[in-house]
Amino acid sequence: GIQVEQSPPDLILQEGANSTLRCNFSDSVNNLQWFHQNPWGQLINLFYIPSGTKQNGRLSATTVATERYSLLYISSSQTTDSGVYFCAVGYVANTGNQFYFGTGTSLTVIP
Amino acid sequence: NAGVTQTPKFQVLKTGQSMTLQCAQDMNHEYMSWYRQDPGMGLRLIHYSVGAGITDQGEVPNGYNVSRSTTEDFPLRLLSAAPSQTSVYFCASSYSRKPGRSWMPPGDTEAFFGQGTRLTVV
């Protein structure tokens, strides 16, 4: 399967700080999503971004598929941003939509 | 539109018991899948289905069975629970890319996950 590496594994931020999370993957993909797993364990869709750049409020993401990486930017972090951020990649075909997950970046935002 | 619904949210089983985790989606998605999440790890694929009547194995299928009799439902069965199956289970659904499809559905192949089932086997 596709290998997915996320960095950093852990991150502690002061409220209001900015951060960049990185996702590297080992093979060509046509599907990439960023998720936030909140302290209650729910997986929240952040971005569906197989290529290009998207923004949603304080969060934005960029995927450079040809170079096999994606970045998630969090600006003006808030305590509610705490949790684990997962990158999931895959190759979608008529045989399905299988994701390969990284091990996540655990973010703690302190007031 | 409820999205992906999983039941139960929590379950405790004794070793050797059987149970079924339910997953339903109301988005008319062809593709459904089950993942498990263990501490410190990302999600790993157990089984998946590309449509009613079609299922296949993922990365960690042993000890689990699935069936897909309808587009909406994709239950996961544990035939004889073992402590190694203690985990959090997630169901996901999305559109898939069908040959000959002349239109792209809203959101293309973005996947949606259920809220998870926390299973403990003692």
Side-chain angles (χ1 to χ4, degrees):
Chain A
I2 301 172
Q3 305 302 311
V4 183
E5 291 182 0
Q6 290 186 244
S7 59
D10 299 282
L11 188 57
I12 300 175
L13 295 177
Q14 199 77 37
E15 197 169 27
N18 303 329
S19 63
T20 301
L21 281 59
R22 187 176 180 101
C23 171
N24 292 334
F25 44 94
S26 63
D27 208 341
S28 298
V29 300
N30 62 9
N31 198 359
L32 189 146
Q33 290 185 231
W34 283 97
F35 297 91
H36 175 216
Q37 188 166 41
N38 64 23
W40 296 271
Q42 293 178 302
L43 279 172
I44 311 298
N45 285 28
L46 296 178
F47 293 102
Y48 168 68
I49 187 165
S51 64
T53 297
K54 289 186 178 179
Q55 179 152 10
N56 185 1
R58 296 181 296 103
L59 272 61
S60 64
T62 295
T63 297
V64 184
T66 53
E67 297 187 22
R68 300 181 183 171
Y69 73 89
S70 183
L71 303 173
L72 177 68
Y73 306 97
I74 304 174
S75 64
S76 304
S77 58
Q78 300 175 358
T79 55
T80 51
D81 295 332
S82 296
V84 182
Y85 290 79
F86 287 105
C87 168
V89 305
Y91 193 84
V92 181
N94 60 314
T95 52
N97 183 7
Q98 296 184 38
F99 275 118
Y100 296 89
F101 280 77
T103 52
T105 291
S106 178
L107 173 65
T108 303
V109 181
I110 54 177
Chain B
N1 188 335
V4 181
T5 303
Q6 288 184 236
T7 55
K9 289 187 170 55
F10 302 94
Q11 183 71 49
V12 178
L13 288 179
K14 293 183 178 179
T15 298
Q17 284 186 316
S18 63
M19 80 159 294
T20 300
L21 280 62
Q22 301 291 345
C23 176
Q25 53 90 12
D26 61 359
M27 296 173 280
N28 203 29
H29 285 165
E30 300 103 347
Y31 184 77
M32 296 185 74
S33 53
W34 278 100
Y35 292 82
R36 61 178 285 173
Q37 184 180 25
D38 298 305
M41 301 180 71
L43 281 68
R44 293 182 294 167
L45 182 65
I46 304 172
H47 284 286
Y48 66 94
S49 167
V50 298
I54 306 169
T55 63
D56 208 343
Q57 296 180 351
E59 181 184 356
V60 287
N62 292 341
Y64 308 95
N65 275 359
V66 292
S67 60
R68 184 96 177 269
S69 56
T70 66
T71 300
E72 295 78 17
D73 300 297
F74 190 43
L76 178 72
R77 296 183 186 85
L78 283 71
L79 300 178
S80 179
S84 60
Q85 294 178 304
T86 294
S87 188
V88 181
Y89 292 85
F90 288 94
C91 177
S93 76
S94 71
Y95 289 109
S96 62
R97 297 228 171 115
K98 284 187 172 181
R101 170 171 270 164
S102 61
W103 57 275
M104 289 311 300
D108 197 2
T109 54
E110 180 177 4
F112 296 86
F113 283 75
Q115 292 192 325
T117 296
R118 187 173 296 274
L119 175 67
T120 302
V121 182
V122 297

